[in-house]
Every structure is written in C-alpha cells, then in structure tokens.
Amino acid sequence: MIIVPVKDGENIERALKKFKRKFEKTGIVKELRRRQQFDKPSVIKRLKMEKAIYVQKLRNAEE
C-alpha cells in the first residue's frame, strides 16, 4: 500500500503528484502490461539482441 503523508495546508495537486511518482516507481502498471501478452523466450531473446546491436551502432557513431 502506498502512503503519501500530506502536511497541513499542502496543495492537493502536489500530494497527487507525489502519489503518482511513488506508484510509477513500484512498476505495477509496467508489469501488468507485460503480463497481458505472452512472448516466447526466443522472441524476447531476439528483441534483446536487436536492441543491443542498435545501441552499439549508436555508440560507435558517436566516436
């Protein structure tokens, strides 16, 4: 459970912003979206490899 202490006179928008930030850090929504669809391990591995190649190309282009 996420608890956001609100001080007297504190703006409700600020408290809501703190709550959203804490909620985002927990990664619940990200995990939920990831679990909505099953990806085969081979597909995940291929995507990771493609991303690694892309990042390497970017780093080599900087030099």
Side-chain angles (χ1 to χ4, degrees):
M1 175 182 269
I2 300 174
I3 298 173
V4 179
V6 180
K7 298 175 186 171
D8 290 337
E10 187 176 13
N11 194 353
I12 191 70
E13 281 84 21
R14 185 177 295 255
L16 188 59
K17 196 177 235 183
K18 285 182 186 179
F19 172 78
K20 287 181 180 179
R21 197 175 306 126
K22 281 188 174 185
F23 184 74
E24 187 68 33
K25 283 186 178 182
T26 61
I28 294 171
V29 175
K30 196 174 189 178
E31 180 70 18
L32 180 67
R33 287 186 181 145
R34 187 183 71 78
R35 289 184 181 210
Q36 282 182 345
Q37 164 185 338
F38 177 77
D39 293 325
K40 291 173 27 177
S42 61
V43 173
I44 294 171
K45 184 178 177 183
R46 187 183 75 230
L47 290 175
K48 281 176 84 173
M49 185 64 82
E50 288 175 357
K51 183 178 178 182
I53 291 170
Y54 174 75
V55 169
Q56 284 240 311
K57 284 182 181 178
L58 286 178
R59 288 188 179 155
N60 288 340
E62 289 178 355
E63 295 175 354

